[in-house]
Amino acid sequence: MKVLVINCGSSSLKYQLIDSDTEAVIAKGLCERIGIDGKLTHQTMGKDKYTVDAAMPDHNAAVKFVLDALLDTDKGAIASLSEIDAVGHRIVHGGEKFANSVVITDEVMAAIEECNDLAPLHNPANLIGIRACQAHMPGVPMVAVFDTAFHQTMPDKAYTYAIPYEYYENYKIRRYGFHGTSHSFVSKRLAELIGRDIKDTKLIVCHLGNGSSITAVDGGKSVDTSMGLTPLAGLPMGTRSGDIDPAILEFIAGKEGKSVEEITTILNKKSGVSGLSGVSSDFRDLDAGMKDGNDRCRLALDVFCYSVKKYIGAYAAAMGDLDAIAFTAGIGENNPYVRRVSTMDLSFMGIDIDETKNEIRGEEQKISTDASKVQVWVVPTNEELAIARETVELVTK
Ligand code: ADP
């Protein structure tokens, strides 16, 4: 089957056409600056990558460009749209309504819309992407794969915030967690790599990218995760603060006369390692800065790694044991320094990193010593492939 995977942001649309039989990417690309001006970058594997500036007033127009790029006689990948068997859509927030991926129906669309206020920047864009695909590919089955779904197995003690219970009852304020597709994909792979039935494993997945989250996976189920009601919570990130004392909001508001919205924007866009270092949100720049003696780059890296380490300790305690840890996403896959410092001095928990093996970048490899009780692995994530697999499973049922 050929599955088109669509990941719509507010002004962007990423896509991959995947052959589900071989799991190979046939073509991929990105529409950017939708609603501003518009730019398409497309590559069919084995052919030249190209970029075109093209007016994309909305996502409908962007989807049309994507389909035209796929159909292009020269640089495209398919001869007819009928070759696309199904479309898988990444949806950020499924609230408590979706614990699994689902085939998209009118009822599903309405239920996703009801989750809009939980993810006001993302869900509306996801819905626009679905409608645009439906308009251009009528009759093609579509599947919604939710970032939050994998975490719906968390027990109430892990997802409930200690604020008046009415806020949960009335507004569904609770921990939801994100990156679920990645945590699910990587935990399954990690269990395979350590040669165990996932039902009998206690795993920690560290998804460390621009956005970062850590999940405790017990018996294949998410039992706790670091992100919360929104993806602002948990670890410090590229530009997001992660967990802070909630009273800081009022404190800054009082000192600087800023509104809650302004401060939330600062916590989302000007904080994290970017705000700490004053240099960059990109960990490559922080590594370089630290090597040049920039102490705030050193501090940003230390704060980040210390936070990762504390989650590892906390989640091992939460599960009562630990079999293996996976590092994944941009930083988890490519940053030996972060992996080493985050797991330093954890021999007492049975975690020992092999510093030579840890130099690996972007490849699946065990990085713990043979004597380490807890196996530590680099496991590259592949959210698009995970979405394609879910899509095939649902449409062939
Ligand atoms: P996103 O959450 O936007 O998908 P990524 O998972 O791509 O982000 O993570 C971005 C981070 O990963 C950056 O801080 C960057 O330093 C790091 N990163 C990505 N690729 C590499 C690489 N090849 N080498 C070193 N660091 C990388």
Side-chain angles (χ1 to χ4, degrees):
M1 283 178 77
K2 287 190 179 118
V3 181
L4 182 61
V5 175
I6 298 280
N7 180 357
C8 261
S10 52
S11 66
S12 70
L13 187 166
K14 287 189 211 149
Y15 62 95
Q16 282 194 5
L17 184 65
I18 295 177
D19 179 339
S20 67
D21 301 326
T22 60
E23 301 205 323
V25 176
I26 302 168
K28 63 179 180 180
L30 164 71
C31 296
E32 294 168 275
R33 301 176 59 85
I34 300 168
I36 307 164
D37 36 36
K39 178 176 158 184
L40 168 87
T41 306
H42 176 88
Q43 182 171 29
T44 298
M45 298 305 126
K47 299 184 183 178
D48 289 342
K49 182 174 175 176
Y50 69 95
T51 299
V52 279
D53 292 318
M56 295 178 192
D58 54 29
H59 286 75
N60 239 319
V63 169
K64 180 82 172 71
F65 275 105
V66 170
L67 297 178
D68 286 347
L70 291 169
L71 285 165
D72 190 273
T73 40
D74 219 21
K75 299 202 172 126
I78 50 175
S80 151
L81 279 187
S82 63
E83 289 181 42
I84 298 176
D85 298 297
V87 182
H89 292 270
R90 176 191 182 199
I91 310 295
V92 168
H93 219 306
E96 290 186 327
K97 294 176 195 295
F98 297 100
N100 291 294
S101 305
V102 287
V103 173
I104 296 172
T105 60
D106 290 346
E107 293 75 50
V108 167
M109 291 293 279
I112 296 173
E113 199 158 359
E114 282 170 30
C115 300
N116 274 3
D117 66 347
L118 292 170
L121 296 177
H122 294 99
N123 272 32
N126 298 156
L127 283 162
I128 291 169
I130 297 174
R131 291 201 183 95
C133 286
Q134 287 173 332
H136 291 286
M137 289 175 274
V140 176
M142 310 223 175
V143 168
V145 180
F146 300 90
D147 264 22
T148 49
F150 181 60
H151 302 298
Q152 280 296 302
T153 48
M154 283 189 289
D156 55 4
K157 66 182 175 191
Y159 71 68
T160 308
Y161 290 125
I163 56 177
Y165 194 68
E166 294 73 36
Y167 290 131
Y168 170 61
E169 293 176 310
N170 295 339
Y171 310 122
K172 296 288 175 221
I173 295 177
R174 50 160 284 181
R175 181 188 306 284
Y176 288 96
F178 297 88
H179 295 137
T181 316
S182 177
H183 287 295
S184 167
F185 178 89
V186 171
S187 57
K188 281 185 193 138
R189 183 67 192 141
L190 180 60
E192 280 173 13
L193 289 166
I194 65 170
R196 299 265 296 272
D197 183 340
I198 195 165
K199 290 201 182 71
D200 306 320
T201 59
K202 293 180 191 289
L203 311 173
I204 292 176
V205 178
C206 304
H207 177 111
L208 310 179
N210 234 334
S212 294
S213 68
I214 300 189
T215 297
V217 183
D218 193 343
K221 292 190 161 65
S222 169
V223 292
D224 205 347
T225 193
S226 61
M227 282 179 168
L229 172 75
T230 74
L232 180 56
L235 298 161
M237 307 179 209
T239 62
R240 290 175 236 166
S241 63
D243 288 345
I244 59 167
D245 178 344
I248 291 172
L249 266 88
E250 191 191 350
F251 198 88
I252 298 177
K255 290 282 180 202
E256 302 212 335
K258 289 194 162 70
S259 67
V260 172
E261 289 77 15
E262 285 171 316
I263 299 169
T264 305
T265 302
I266 291 169
L267 296 180
N268 268 300
K269 305 216 156 133
K270 300 213 179 294
S271 301
V273 294
S274 168
L276 271 176
S277 68
V279 169
S280 174
S281 62
D282 192 305
F283 278 60
R284 285 168 282 205
D285 300 332
L286 301 179
D287 284 342
M290 183 177 63
K291 282 199 188 92
D292 289 345
N294 183 321
D295 197 51
R296 275 175 52 191
C297 289
R298 188 274 311 156
L299 176 64
L301 286 163
D302 272 356
V303 169
F304 181 80
C305 296
Y306 183 58
S307 183
V308 172
K309 187 185 211 175
K310 287 202 291 185
Y311 271 106
I312 291 172
Y315 287 169
M319 292 188 287
D321 202 354
L322 181 60
D323 297 306
I325 300 171
F327 282 98
T328 194
I331 299 159
E333 291 167 30
N334 296 296
N335 194 309
Y337 178 82
V338 165
R339 292 191 301 249
R340 179 165 61 80
V341 177
S342 305
T343 53
M344 206 179 254
D345 302 326
L346 294 182
S347 295
F348 78 95
M349 284 173 61
I351 300 170
D352 283 297
I353 297 296
D354 180 320
E355 296 211 5
T356 310
K357 288 184 190 154
N358 182 43
E359 287 306 312
I360 194 85
R361 288 167 197 264
E363 278 172 49
E364 203 168 78
Q365 179 165 300
K366 185 172 138 185
I367 58 168
S368 49
T369 64
D370 290 339
S372 182
K373 172 189 159 283
V374 175
Q375 291 194 30
V376 185
W377 283 77
V378 172
V379 181
T381 192
N382 191 337
E383 289 169 284
E384 291 77 15
L385 177 58
I387 292 171
R389 283 182 185 167
E390 295 265 315
T391 302
V392 171
E393 197 180 317
L394 281 169
V395 302
T396 54
K397 240 183 203 166

